[in-house]
Amino acid sequence: MKIAFFSTKIYDREFFDRYNTAHEIIYFEAPLNEQTVKLAKGCKAICAFVNDKITAAVIVALKDNGVELIALRSAGFNNVDIAAAKANGIVVVRVPAYSPHAVAEHAVALILTLNRKTHKAYNRVREGNFSLDRLTGFDLYGKTVGVIGTGKIGQVFCAIMQGFGCKVLAFDVIANKQLESTGVQYLPLIDIFQAADIISLHCPLNEQTRHFINKQTIAMMKEGVMLINTSRGALVDTPTVIDGLKTRRIGYLGLDVYEQEETLFFNDLSENIIQDEDIMRLLSFPNVLITSHQGFFTQEALAEIAKTTLANVDEFETGKIIKNIVV
Ligand code: NAI
């Protein structure tokens, strides 16, 4: 099958070329949007990533160009107008799990870096500054961690934090009995916010969770809480988090995702004048650490994304039951 790949980087090509034996892939660096959708002409499928905005207008244009399948090389599908895909008879597939360990471990990397300030120590020591001033951290052992969303990634994250000797509290719309048996305690959100030293978000973005971290929820949190978001940027209302940092209610902020990330992340903008005031304000805080959506970025995850995406296309092409269908 001829597939147009959007928003591709060198590593996408490397991993897809390694595992593709059957399909004709055309790689585009451009994101998928109303201007670029015509690049898909003549392709039966397109492959898109997290920041490709697949709106109703894009879907209608894809259909007009003969596209029948949207193969997402991501787990989240909040960037696709699912109702429009259904109405236009376009099948959407995704990669529901490629490495929950990759994302959970990255959340832990953010916690450890923010806490022990290894990013600052690295620069200091390289410049001959061996002082420990202002590098004080805290023991993770004995601290309380609140986990919002205990699906595939949240579960792995819970286990890692238990390994540090943390008390793990969780909130999910469905409690996981097996996780409870390991000592994770499900509580109402308010109790978690009041008790947690660290809060980590592992739920999907949807209408219920959009701006889940807002003025009200921040007000419930412990003074000096560490907030970690490796899920989706819009779970967090950025201006209120900036206020929370200014009042020191939020003591540490670790983000791998950002609501307006599509104009920034995955690109080298080091010579550009960045116009996004919120991200520039966030970057000005000494207790904020931002990575550009790299939670998924491990060898294992990239291999799994390529293999599963190609298997999804194979299943669609051969008329088999599509395991990873969204709609
Ligand atoms: P999952 O579907 O296995 O788990 C999500 C969990 O959130 C489920 O247990 C679900 O019941 C729960 N949930 C749904 N609504 C909720 C609500 N209102 N409050 C609390 N919990 C709720 O998903 P998985 O694989 O664990 O991924 C979680 C999120 O991580 C994804 O939605 C995606 O946004 C993000 N992600 C980020 C990556 C990165 O590179 N930073 C890579 C992959 C995923």
Side-chain angles (χ1 to χ4, degrees):
M1 188 181 291
K2 199 168 170 183
I3 316 169
F5 271 54
F6 288 88
S7 298
T8 55
K9 301 285 181 199
I10 196 154
Y11 42 83
D12 294 306
R13 292 167 194 228
E14 182 192 334
F15 280 85
F16 275 91
D17 286 348
R18 188 183 300 172
Y19 295 105
N20 176 39
T21 50
H23 305 287
E24 184 187 343
I25 295 181
I26 307 169
Y27 294 106
F28 297 109
E29 280 180 33
L32 176 59
N33 55 40
E34 284 177 56
Q35 284 70 49
T36 60
V37 67
K38 52 184 172 293
L39 295 169
K41 198 170 178 55
C43 295
K44 210 167 169 184
I46 65 107
C47 183
F49 197 46
V50 289
N51 291 331
D52 290 312
K53 284 238 162 86
I54 311 178
T55 60
V58 169
I59 286 169
V60 169
L62 284 172
K63 191 182 178 190
D64 291 346
N65 281 296
V67 171
E68 296 174 18
L69 176 70
I70 295 172
L72 299 170
R73 50 182 195 281
S74 62
F77 52 88
N78 55 284
N79 53 329
V80 184
D81 188 328
I82 295 298
K86 196 171 183 180
N88 284 281
I90 293 190
V91 173
V92 181
V93 293
R94 66 180 182 129
V95 184
Y98 38 86
S99 173
H101 301 277
V103 186
E105 288 170 13
H106 190 72
V108 178
L110 293 177
I111 292 171
L112 288 170
T113 308
L114 279 167
N115 176 13
R116 303 306 296 269
K117 304 174 180 66
T118 43
H119 54 321
K120 296 185 184 189
Y122 172 82
N123 286 324
R124 274 193 196 184
V125 171
R126 281 172 72 93
E127 290 183 3
N129 177 356
F130 298 96
S131 154
L132 297 184
D133 289 352
R134 301 181 310 282
L135 293 183
T136 323
F138 59 84
D139 284 8
L140 282 174
Y141 178 82
K143 294 294 181 297
T144 300
V145 179
V147 183
I148 313 299
T150 52
K152 291 175 283 298
I153 296 168
Q155 284 175 52
V156 175
F157 177 78
C158 287
I160 299 173
M161 297 319 289
Q162 284 175 316
F164 280 108
C166 294
K167 178 176 178 185
V168 179
L169 308 178
F171 176 81
D172 197 304
V173 286
I174 312 155
N176 177 329
K177 295 272 168 234
Q178 190 270 327
L179 205 57
E180 270 180 319
S181 71
T182 69
V184 172
Q185 197 184 350
Y186 282 91
L187 286 178
L189 270 179
I190 183 157
D191 296 335
I192 295 181
F193 285 142
Q194 284 172 355
D197 302 295
I198 299 170
I199 296 171
S200 194
L201 307 180
H202 299 287
C203 57
L205 174 64
N206 55 38
E207 280 325 301
Q208 287 73 51
T209 59
R210 182 174 297 275
H211 291 179
F212 171 75
I213 300 297
N214 54 44
K215 202 172 174 176
Q216 287 72 37
T217 49
I218 292 171
M220 293 176 206
M221 293 177 194
K222 250 183 166 175
E223 193 77 31
V225 66
M226 182 186 287
L227 181 64
I228 303 292
N229 185 11
T230 56
S231 277
R232 284 293 179 266
L235 293 175
V236 166
D237 179 33
T238 308
T240 60
V241 165
I242 291 173
D243 288 343
L245 285 158
K246 282 158 85 175
T247 61
R248 296 186 181 268
R249 166 80 57 178
I250 298 173
Y252 309 80
L253 178 69
L255 300 179
D256 187 47
V257 286
Y258 173 62
E259 189 165 4
Q260 273 76 42
E261 70 178 48
E262 67 265 17
T263 58
L264 302 168
F265 285 12
F266 308 126
N267 298 309
D268 179 359
L269 302 179
S270 51
E271 295 298 320
N272 291 48
I273 306 297
I274 293 174
Q275 302 294 335
D276 186 315
E277 302 293 337
D278 283 347
I279 199 138
M280 296 318 286
R281 183 67 181 104
L282 285 174
L283 292 172
S284 74
F285 291 99
N287 50 351
V288 172
L289 177 61
I290 302 179
T291 53
S292 59
H293 208 138
Q294 69 176 80
F296 74 100
F297 205 52
T298 65
Q299 298 280 341
E300 292 80 358
L302 289 169
E304 207 47 49
I305 288 170
K307 286 194 266 183
T308 306
T309 302
L310 293 166
N312 289 343
V313 175
D314 289 343
E315 286 175 359
F316 174 81
E317 192 174 34
T318 54
K320 290 191 185 140
I321 292 169
I322 308 171
K323 284 191 292 295
N324 299 321
I325 193 163
V326 180
V327 66

